[in-house]
Amino acid sequence: MASERIEDEHLEEGEENDEFIDPNDVLIEVAEDGEMFMDEDEDIPVDGEEHPDESIVYEDNSTQHFPNHKGSVFAVSTHPSAPIAASGGEDDLGYIWDFTTGDELVKLTGHSDSVTSTAFSADGELVATGGMDGKVRIWRRVGKDDWRTWEFLTELTGPDEVMWLRWHPKGNVLLAGSNDTTVWLWQLPSGNTMQVFAGHMGPVTCGDFTPDGKRIVTADGEGTLIYWDPRSPAPVFKLSPSDARFALDGITSLAINPSSTLAVVGGTSGGVRVVSLSKGDVVGALAGHSEGESVEAVDFVELATPGLLSGTAAASSGVVVTGATDGKAHIWDLSTMRLRATLEHGDAVTSLHHLPPPKAHLIVSASVDNVLRTWDARTGTLVREHKGHHGPILGAALGLGGDVVVSAGDDGVCLVWPTE
């Protein structure tokens, strides 16, 4: 899990831009004669001893913050239409909160270990939390007046430890990957188990429904990808490391194109493979990330190319972005399997998020370097930097149709910014 891998990263002091000073962030007062004011009980530093954080001045251009978690925030998701987010953290709690005001709406209790996944259903009426305790807990909106009141609906059990959660793009069906090699499918609001998919050999690190909702793609930490029909416990096809063309070591990230015909997966070794879901075969390899640097995020971007007919290869294949622990996000043209641009970060890229039309050319990246960034994927140009975190960013989500980005920080805070 990305959050486990990056918790021990240490950031160099003074890497933030020192020229931006917020009066609230001033750490040391200096008298006019240059002498530092000292508290009565403050120790005089011994020669060669540094006080931590003395040289760091943080810039914060966020518009709202949610500081209620007591510990790292591992996950955040946003409602499909309302200005609310659901976050989950190391404190074994989830929260639903208003990202325009920063107000807590509901505390999502009942987990006995870290909450590592949160997800709103497609219609926004249900929200799910998944934890390292193996529990998936479902909450339901009360009434139709607003989105401020929620009630506990049911608890789903089965997984040993929940790795990720995904709702069906159209219905109240929930998919979860477990560290015990299983994948679970439940019907809501009944909570009935529809399917338990077995066939993986390691922790199921990533997975999703195809955008058309008809199939499921999952991948594991041993390097196997499986394509499923939700109605059958048997795989439609499976790709494993025994096929030399698919050797990625462990698979860490996955994305499916909008037309549900291609999957792109990234691995712990830095490799990226393009898989045809209709053929069940590898159709491309994207080599750009440093060897041994894990590909932590993959996302498709819909770029409308002038004069391009909808049936051409470029239109159907599209553009994909991959982000890795080497601090780079690469933009690839899948019609040619060539690199279009590289987006540079100060440390590992943890997540990537494309905006919906009419701003489908924009993508937001999150990084261990404490900063989120909005990029123009057509040119690789940096549009905006989103600052305010004092530690790695472990997750992010876009809200209000892509107008805002909400983050989950290792520093225990969620922040909100306009994407542009």
Side-chain angles (χ1 to χ4, degrees), residues 156-201:
L156 311 172
T157 55
D160 174 53
E161 177 183 319
V162 179
M163 306 286 285
W164 48 268
L165 295 172
R166 294 290 187 276
W167 287 95
H168 190 276
K170 299 182 179 68
N172 287 335
V173 174
L174 184 64
L175 185 68
S178 173
N179 71 326
D180 63 8
T181 76
T182 58
V183 180
W184 293 73
L185 191 68
W186 296 282
Q187 177 80 51
L188 275 305
S190 68
N192 293 335
T193 301
M194 298 174 66
Q195 208 68 260
V196 182
F197 301 104
H200 284 287
M201 302 303 291

Side-chain angles (χ1 to χ4, degrees), residues 65-287:
H65 69 290
F66 182 76
N68 296 29
H69 283 283
K70 305 294 186 283
S72 299
V73 186
F74 293 133
V76 68
S77 57
T78 51
H79 190 275
S81 58
I84 58 175
S87 54
E90 186 182 16
D91 53 8
D92 308 348
L93 293 171
Y95 288 96
I96 300 175
W97 51 281
D98 185 323
F99 58 68
T100 58
T101 63
D103 293 341
E104 174 187 322
L105 302 181
V106 189
K107 183 184 286 190
L108 308 176
T109 58
H111 286 281
S112 56
D113 206 338
S114 297
V115 177
T116 53
S117 306
T118 67
F120 285 96
S121 60
D123 63 4
E125 294 289 328
L126 301 173
V127 67
T129 57
M132 292 177 70
D133 55 6
K135 297 176 184 175
V136 175
R137 291 174 62 81
I138 310 294
W139 303 72
R140 176 169 56 188
R141 177 168 78 130
V142 177
K144 298 294 180 185
D145 295 336
D146 57 35
W147 302 95
R148 303 183 69 82
T149 309
W150 296 73
E151 64 182 1
F152 175 68
L153 176 64
T154 188
E155 181 175 289
L156 311 172
T157 55
D160 174 53
E161 177 183 319
V162 179
M163 306 286 285
W164 48 268
L165 295 172
R166 294 290 187 276
W167 287 95
H168 190 276
K170 299 182 179 68
N172 287 335
V173 174
L174 184 64
L175 185 68
S178 173
N179 71 326
D180 63 8
T181 76
T182 58
V183 180
W184 293 73
L185 191 68
W186 296 282
Q187 177 80 51
L188 275 305
S190 68
N192 293 335
T193 301
M194 298 174 66
Q195 208 68 260
V196 182
F197 301 104
H200 284 287
M201 302 303 291
V204 187
T205 49
C206 47
D208 208 344
F209 291 97
T210 54
D212 62 14
K214 296 177 181 178
R215 296 286 186 269
I216 291 166
V217 184
T218 57
D220 67 42
E222 296 297 317
T224 297
L225 177 143
I226 305 181
Y227 187 55
W228 311 90
D229 183 327
R231 296 164 295 185
S232 168
V236 178
F237 72 79
K238 180 189 290 192
L239 291 173
S240 70
S242 59
D243 180 344
R245 294 174 307 154
F246 197 67
L248 290 167
D249 295 339
I251 296 174
T252 44
S253 52
L254 160 74
I256 304 164
N257 69 338
S259 57
S260 304
T261 57
L262 291 175
V264 175
V265 291
T268 55
S269 60
V272 178
R273 298 292 183 272
V274 184
V275 176
S276 166
L277 298 178
S278 55
K279 298 175 183 175
D281 203 3
V282 178
V283 294
L286 307 176

Side-chain angles (χ1 to χ4, degrees), residues 166 206 208-209 211 252-258 262-266 272-274 286 289 295-303 317-324 328-334 340-341 343 349-357 359-366 373 375 377 396-398 402 405:
R166 294 290 187 276
C206 47
D208 208 344
F209 291 97
T252 44
S253 52
L254 160 74
I256 304 164
N257 69 338
L262 291 175
V264 175
V265 291
V272 178
R273 298 292 183 272
V274 184
L286 307 176
H289 292 290
V295 179
E296 294 293 304
V298 182
D299 198 14
F300 276 88
V301 185
E302 294 186 70
L303 297 186
S317 300
V319 173
V320 73
V321 188
T322 58
K328 293 177 171 59
H330 290 313
I331 303 177
W332 305 91
D333 187 332
L334 293 185
R340 290 174 62 112
L343 316 177
V349 177
T350 53
S351 65
L352 294 165
H353 310 269
H354 70 277
L355 271 69
K359 297 179 180 177
H361 58 284
L362 296 179
I363 189 157
V364 176
S365 63
R373 295 169 177 86
W375 308 84
L398 301 177
V405 57

